Amino acid sequence: MTERTVPPWAFAAARAIPLLALPVCLWRLPYAFGYDMGSTQELGPWQWWMIPYVFGLSVLSEVFCLLCSGLVRPWGETVPAWVPGLGGRRIPPAVVLVPSTLAALGLTWLFVDWLRSFLRIGDYVRPPYDDGWYELAMTVSGLFSLIGPLLLALTFAYYRRRCLPGAYGGGPGRPARQQ
């Protein structure tokens, strides 16, 4: 149970983030084996290290997306009891807010860049894909770019819940809703 009530939309957003990253993680996998996925850009010769690199990047992306659930779960407020030496200690909000805000701002920049590319605003250069593949690439990357604004909203909700008294109910003398 978190210290204060987590809004229902925040739970939904935290669950959606790993699902939004999954298509781009799956999209990367054929590149590991030298398949160009409709790219018209010269990719160069296949190298053995591409397999661990692409798989590692996909796994790491999903791990970071799953960590976003700490913004709505108790382990984002208190160190779990099973952690030696730190178990049960309260996590200072800044330890969570600083990295999540920086990540959210960086990913939101990707969203703005994707939107600019999709709407062909400014010095738009079409990504190097054949027709059909271009639409698929834009859809997959568009889903991934939605993580930025969602993470920004989750970070703000975490800030309100942890740093502003009385936000979202709960607080001193008022128990949070059971989850």
Side-chain angles (χ1 to χ4, degrees), residues 47-69:
Q47 301 288 326
W48 69 268
W49 54 264
M50 293 170 74
I51 294 172
Y53 170 74
V54 171
F55 275 84
L57 184 61
S58 294
V59 168
L60 199 58
S61 297
E62 281 299 320
V63 166
F64 281 124
C65 288
L66 289 167
L67 280 175
C68 293
S69 64

Side-chain angles (χ1 to χ4, degrees), residues 30-31 34-46 50 129:
Y31 284 105
Y35 186 68
D36 65 4
M37 298 293 287
S39 176
T40 57
Q41 185 177 15
E42 180 61 38
L43 297 179
W46 180 85
M50 293 170 74
Y129 289 102

Side-chain angles (χ1 to χ4, degrees), residues 39-123:
S39 176
T40 57
Q41 185 177 15
E42 180 61 38
L43 297 179
W46 180 85
Q47 301 288 326
W48 69 268
W49 54 264
M50 293 170 74
I51 294 172
Y53 170 74
V54 171
F55 275 84
L57 184 61
S58 294
V59 168
L60 199 58
S61 297
E62 281 299 320
V63 166
F64 281 124
C65 288
L66 289 167
L67 280 175
C68 293
S69 64
L71 295 168
V72 297
R73 294 287 178 204
W75 53 269
E77 297 179 8
T78 307
V79 179
W82 56 265
V83 177
L86 297 174
R89 289 191 184 175
R90 192 159 188 237
I91 299 172
V95 170
V96 175
L97 288 170
V98 170
S100 65
T101 300
L102 292 174
L105 290 174
L107 290 167
T108 300
W109 176 83
L110 284 178
F111 173 72
V112 170
D113 189 56
W114 177 88
L115 194 60
R116 211 174 59 86
S117 175
F118 179 75
L119 298 174
R120 298 180 175 137
I121 297 172
D123 55 347

